[in-house]
Amino acid sequence: MEDIQNGNGRNQQAHGGGQEQDIHQLLKVRREKLAALQEAGKDPFQITRYDVSHHSLEVKDNFDSLEGQTVTVAGRIMQKRIMGKASFCNIQDLQGNIQSYVARDSIGEESYADFKKYDVGDIVGIKGEVFKTKTGEISIHAAEVTLLSKSLQILPEKFHGLTNTDIRYRQRYTDLIMNQDVKDTFVKRSKVISAIRRYLEGQGFLEVETPMLVSNAGGAAARPFETHYNALDEDVKLRISLELYLKRLIVGGMERVFEIGRVFRNEGLDTRHNPEFTLMELYQAYTDYHGMMDLTENMFRYVAEEVCGTTLIPYAEEMIDLGKPFERLTMVQAVKQYAGVDFDEVADTAAAKKLADEKGVHYEERHTKGDILNLFFEEFVEEHLIQPVFIMDHPVEISPLTKRKPDKPDYVERFELFIYGREMCNAYSELNDPIDQRERFKAQEAALAAGDEEANTTDEDFMNALEIGMPPTGGIGYGIDRLVMLLTNSPAIRDVLLFPTMKTLGKESQ
């Protein structure tokens, strides 16, 4: 009688029968097995290392040269088939899975008796010869099987996988075991970041690190998290941006710098936002936002080719073409195209508010014409921007750190890249006029006093740096998580964060 053990850890006879054992009894049995092993001097947790010669995919890809050769592999048992004196198991490692043929006459009677008691989820090392079964499956004929770790929990049922999203996010370790595509996503995420580094280093950029705990969390419109330094007896904030410290380095003569790091914004969670996320910012002296557009377009193509092997990227129901030139529109042009309103013809704030009332666009009393232009853009334009498009020349009111356009001082030299209706990056010709910058900070502080919790406050040390002198500079910030979402066809930011922010269990009803 063949005995099958699959991903849920339950033993069932092959031709059907048997009532499922109570889950608590199954867990108890696993602990009893561990105790028996320990009593027999075979405690797997005493093993400190196992020399692995190959991974599963390496064995399969190099079968012609490895056939008949001895290899050692290690991984988690995902399936067992016990058939009297010989058995099969399937083990999963970093690269995938591979079958092993385990026979009593090959590994010895005592070892085979031990092997029969191993559970799905246990981690084993297998040493043996590479061969191909009668059905053509590349396998390993085990000469030795070593239990490396005993699993005391039960994996989800194999054929249905782990589909509960809440459990998947909370128990990413189980998600990675049960869902190969999840592991593939995070391997690809690592490759995305590596490709970005290679590209920027090839362009002469230097990677740096700047503080996460800061006295003034500026550089973006967001509420910071706040904490306290006991040693200094000072309140500090977790950074919301990388900008102000990186600009200090430009002042210091480091002409091309970038940083990839976590930032923290005390805001809501949805499919595109997590309070803790990965941001990359870069700054380049002696260029402007047009230079940043060229760099961005070239970098996105490079990363797509490196990671996906193509610049034609499937996302949801669309095919995103990163290979052709990215469209470039001013914000005024985009609102005119999609909302039918030309803000160049809007005289002032009062006229803008009247238009907003007519179009049903909600605004706050403090909002000016520039704010309302941005509200129109968010309401009528963003969702239409599927293929890559640079939206340029934002109103000065929403861009406190950006250089004004010389011919249109109500607007600034700024762009955002949109793909599939989502902002992928935000870039400026950086403001390097310290007098103008101080006035912008004053306006931000007035907004803060009027109730805007996301407004910036004046950073005096940064002002001192600007007064020493910053060259003309282009700067840009990229949401790394959104880029990974695009290149892995992932619908939500939590799908590309190994450990997304989750409400603590037991507090949902509080």
Side-chain angles (χ1 to χ4, degrees), residues 59 117 139-140 152 158 165 178 218 261 284 365 398 407 415 421 433 445 453 464-465:
V59 174
K117 295 175 184 176
S139 306
I140 298 171
L152 301 179
K158 178 178 175 61
T165 53
M178 300 308 300
Q284 178 179 341
E365 187 57 37
I398 63 167
D407 56 335
F415 73 81
D433 178 346
E445 295 209 1
E453 295 179 329
N464 185 62

Side-chain angles (χ1 to χ4, degrees), residues 180-194:
Q180 182 61 41
D181 59 334
V182 172
K183 186 181 290 184
D184 292 343
T185 291
F186 288 105
V187 169
K188 191 173 277 190
R189 179 189 175 104
S190 181
K191 290 180 177 179
V192 167
I193 294 173
S194 295

Side-chain angles (χ1 to χ4, degrees), residues 1-5 11-14 80-83:
M1 184 181 294
E2 181 182 348
D3 184 46
I4 296 176
Q5 191 179 52
N11 288 329
Q12 296 178 315
Q13 292 179 352
K80 275 175 65 190
R81 286 185 288 137
I82 304 297
M83 301 179 296

Side-chain angles (χ1 to χ4, degrees), residues 335-353:
V335 169
K336 184 177 180 180
Q337 180 174 328
Y338 291 103
V341 176
D342 186 352
F343 267 76
D344 280 342
E345 303 298 321
V346 177
D348 51 25
T349 295
K353 289 182 175 179

Side-chain angles (χ1 to χ4, degrees), residues 5-249:
Q5 191 179 52
N6 53 33
N8 62 4
R10 296 167 173 81
N11 288 329
Q12 296 178 315
Q13 292 179 352
H15 53 266
Q19 215 173 352
E20 285 194 358
Q21 297 180 59
D22 177 81
I23 186 76
H24 297 296
Q25 179 62 25
L26 289 169
L27 294 173
K28 182 172 179 285
V29 167
R30 291 198 176 208
R31 281 163 172 75
E32 289 171 351
K33 288 180 180 180
L34 174 62
L37 287 165
Q38 291 169 330
E39 191 174 333
K42 300 176 181 179
D43 186 352
F45 299 125
Q46 294 298 314
I47 296 175
T48 57
R49 64 177 289 166
Y50 187 82
D51 292 327
V52 175
S53 68
H54 294 79
H55 285 88
S56 56
L57 189 61
E58 293 170 319
V59 174
K60 293 177 178 179
D61 285 350
N62 298 284
F63 174 75
D64 290 343
S65 61
L66 289 175
E67 184 178 15
Q69 301 296 311
T70 297
V71 298
T72 56
V73 298
R76 190 179 300 275
I77 298 175
M78 298 303 290
Q79 189 173 13
K80 275 175 65 190
R81 286 185 288 137
I82 304 297
M83 301 179 296
K85 297 178 183 179
S87 304
F88 286 93
C89 70
N90 188 286
I91 71 165
Q92 178 175 292
D93 62 14
L94 173 68
Q95 296 181 351
N97 59 74
I98 193 164
Q99 178 175 266
S100 179
Y101 174 69
V102 183
R104 185 187 66 183
D105 293 344
S106 298
I107 69 169
E109 195 165 334
E110 183 181 347
S111 292
Y112 189 66
D114 288 340
F115 171 77
K116 289 170 69 175
K117 295 175 184 176
Y118 296 165
D119 292 301
V120 163
D122 289 351
I123 297 172
V124 296
I126 293 178
K127 181 178 182 179
E129 286 188 7
V130 177
F131 78 109
K132 192 175 286 187
T133 65
K134 291 177 182 177
T135 59
E137 183 168 357
I138 295 170
S139 306
I140 298 171
H141 189 146
E144 295 176 10
V145 179
T146 306
L147 181 64
L148 302 174
S149 182
K150 181 69 186 166
S151 175
L152 301 179
Q153 280 288 351
I154 296 173
L155 295 177
E157 198 275 319
K158 178 178 175 61
F159 298 105
H160 296 95
L162 179 61
T163 56
N164 181 300
T165 53
D166 189 71
I167 294 175
R168 285 183 54 228
Y169 297 146
R170 291 183 188 278
Q171 298 183 15
R172 184 65 83 186
Y173 42 89
T174 309
D175 192 23
L176 290 166
I177 293 168
M178 300 308 300
N179 296 318
Q180 182 61 41
D181 59 334
V182 172
K183 186 181 290 184
D184 292 343
T185 291
F186 288 105
V187 169
K188 191 173 277 190
R189 179 189 175 104
S190 181
K191 290 180 177 179
V192 167
I193 294 173
S194 295
I196 289 170
R197 285 192 166 106
R198 283 195 302 276
Y199 178 79
L200 291 177
E201 286 165 2
Q203 299 296 310
F205 282 83
L206 185 69
E207 184 171 9
V208 298
E209 294 176 303
T210 61
M212 289 191 182
L213 288 169
V214 296
S215 58
N216 189 330
R223 290 180 61 187
F225 289 93
E226 299 183 7
T227 186
H228 185 78
Y229 260 139
N230 290 334
L232 302 177
D233 193 24
E234 287 183 3
D235 291 332
V236 289
K237 301 174 177 67
L238 283 167
R239 67 185 181 186
I240 60 173
S241 167
L242 313 175
E243 180 167 348
L244 300 184
Y245 281 97
L246 292 177
K247 284 182 175 178
R248 287 166 166 89
L249 299 181

Side-chain angles (χ1 to χ4, degrees), residues 439-453:
E439 291 304 309
R440 307 272 191 99
F441 274 139
K442 284 182 181 177
Q444 285 284 297
E445 295 209 1
L448 184 68
D452 183 356
E453 295 179 329

